[in-house]
């Protein structure tokens, strides 16, 4: 937010004094006063916010996100929302928030950011949707619970289809403790399809391998291997193979651009809430079903964030 190009007031709300302190320090490490003026105001309560908000970014954990959205829409007038993923932990919350956003006519986007990267936009132009797309994500160094929605969203973007469902679940019986206390991660395999017949396979196993995306599209093949600050992209066009290193901007380098698009144009390249809801729900439901089968208990909350 410190990289915004125009004058703005940024309000930050957090119940933790330490979090507010760290955020303020990070902000001024980046912010450089030039011909713009960005004012940062820190609060511990939503009550202290301005009555009218041009854009509210809800970047909490998933277990409190719907509560925050409900509170801020009850107390303030919000023009736009940008929500972090995973959105929520129960199916009911998706429909409840959908009703609120529709009722108040608040444009809302979800931060599944791969689709707004130039690399994936260019990749989409190479695909032939007359031939079935087989996309597979596999590796060890990725969080299946919290990150699968990124790849489901990318799959939706590349195929141009906003419906999706899982057709096979082969997840491991052992749950993994997330790096965030109180949340879980998963390993194993999930297979899904959309109504156009394109397929997506998600795999996470033990080891030290970064995730890799393989896309087969007729005779053409795309292989994308994740690295720390770039991806290695191999492309086989049916006759010859090419390889290149492609830089992918970090989130901290692009958030201000998304904010400016929303404020200036009333739109951005991220997925809208309703379409993202339809992609989130199959994941939430299959993970809850898996947990019910393993534990033998009636579980309604999917503990991912």
């Amino acid at each position: 937010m410190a990289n915004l190009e125009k004058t703005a007031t940024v309000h930050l709300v957090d119940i933790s004094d330490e979090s507010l302190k760290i955020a303020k320090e990070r902000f001024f490490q980046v912010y450089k006063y030039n011909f713009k003026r960005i004012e940062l105001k820190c609060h511990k309560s939503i009550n202290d916010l301005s009555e009218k908000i041009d854009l509210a970014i809800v970047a909490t954990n998933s277990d409190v996100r719907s509560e925050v959205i409900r509170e801020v829409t009850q107390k303030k007038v919000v023009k736009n929302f940008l929500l972090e993923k995973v959105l929520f932990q129960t199916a009911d919350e998706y429909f409840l928030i959908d009703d609120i956003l529709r009722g108040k006519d608040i444009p809302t986007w979800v931060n599944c950011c791969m689709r707004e990267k130039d690399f994936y936009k260019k990749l989409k132009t190479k695909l032939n949707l007359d031939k079935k797309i087989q996309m597979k994500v596999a590796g060890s160094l990725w969080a299946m619970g919290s990150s699968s929605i990124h790849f489901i969203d990318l799959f939706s973007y590349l195929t141009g289809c906003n419906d999706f469902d899982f057709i096979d679940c082969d997840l491991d019986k052992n749950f993994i403790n997330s790096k965030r206390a109180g949340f879980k991660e998963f390993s194993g395999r999930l297979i899904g399809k959309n109504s156009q017949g394109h397929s997506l396979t998600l795999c996470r196993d033990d080891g030290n391998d970064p995730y890799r995306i393989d896309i087969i599209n007729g005779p053409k093949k795309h292989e994308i291997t994740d690295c720390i600050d770039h991806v290695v992209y191999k492309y086989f066009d049916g006759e010859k193979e090419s390889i290149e290193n492609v830089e992918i901007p970090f989130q901290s380098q692009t958030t201000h651009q998304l904010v400016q698009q929303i404020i200036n144009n009333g739109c951005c390249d991220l997925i809208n809430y309703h379409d993202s809801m339809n992609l989130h729900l199959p994941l939430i439901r299959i993970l809850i079903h898996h947990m019910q089968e393993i534990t033998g208990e009636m579980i309604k909350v999917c503990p991912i964030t």
Side-chain angles (χ1 to χ4, degrees), residues 132-254:
K132 299 306 179 198
I133 290 174
Q134 297 172 277
M135 177 173 159
K136 180 179 180 180
V137 181
S140 310
L141 302 179
W142 72 286
M144 196 171 191
S146 62
S147 296
S148 284
I149 190 61
H150 271 306
F151 300 113
I152 297 170
D153 182 83
L154 178 64
F155 176 72
S156 172
Y157 169 70
L158 293 177
T159 60
C161 183
N162 290 325
D163 65 73
F164 180 80
D165 204 3
F166 286 105
I167 59 173
D168 187 42
C169 174
D170 186 23
L171 292 173
D172 297 333
K173 293 183 179 180
N174 296 325
F175 306 132
I176 304 166
N177 288 327
S178 169
K179 63 181 181 180
R180 293 179 174 86
F183 300 96
K184 299 295 182 182
E185 281 296 342
F186 297 81
S187 60
R189 184 185 66 179
L190 292 170
I191 300 175
K193 281 189 173 182
N194 61 26
S195 59
Q196 296 177 350
H198 306 296
S199 65
L200 171 66
T201 301
L202 302 168
C203 300
R204 185 196 181 279
D205 54 21
D206 295 329
N208 294 301
D209 296 323
Y211 74 77
R212 193 179 86 188
I213 304 172
D214 290 296
I215 300 173
I216 299 175
N217 181 213
K220 299 180 180 181
K221 297 180 181 179
H222 309 261
E223 178 187 302
I224 303 150
T225 303
D226 179 56
C227 298
I228 293 175
D229 58 356
H230 68 283
V231 298
V232 177
Y233 174 49
K234 293 182 181 179
Y235 173 50
F236 179 71
D237 65 4
E239 297 181 357
K240 62 181 185 299
E241 184 179 85
S242 61
I243 182 170
E244 62 178 314
N245 292 328
V246 181
E247 290 187 11
I248 305 292
F250 292 117
Q251 181 70 63
S252 58
Q253 296 173 297
T254 60

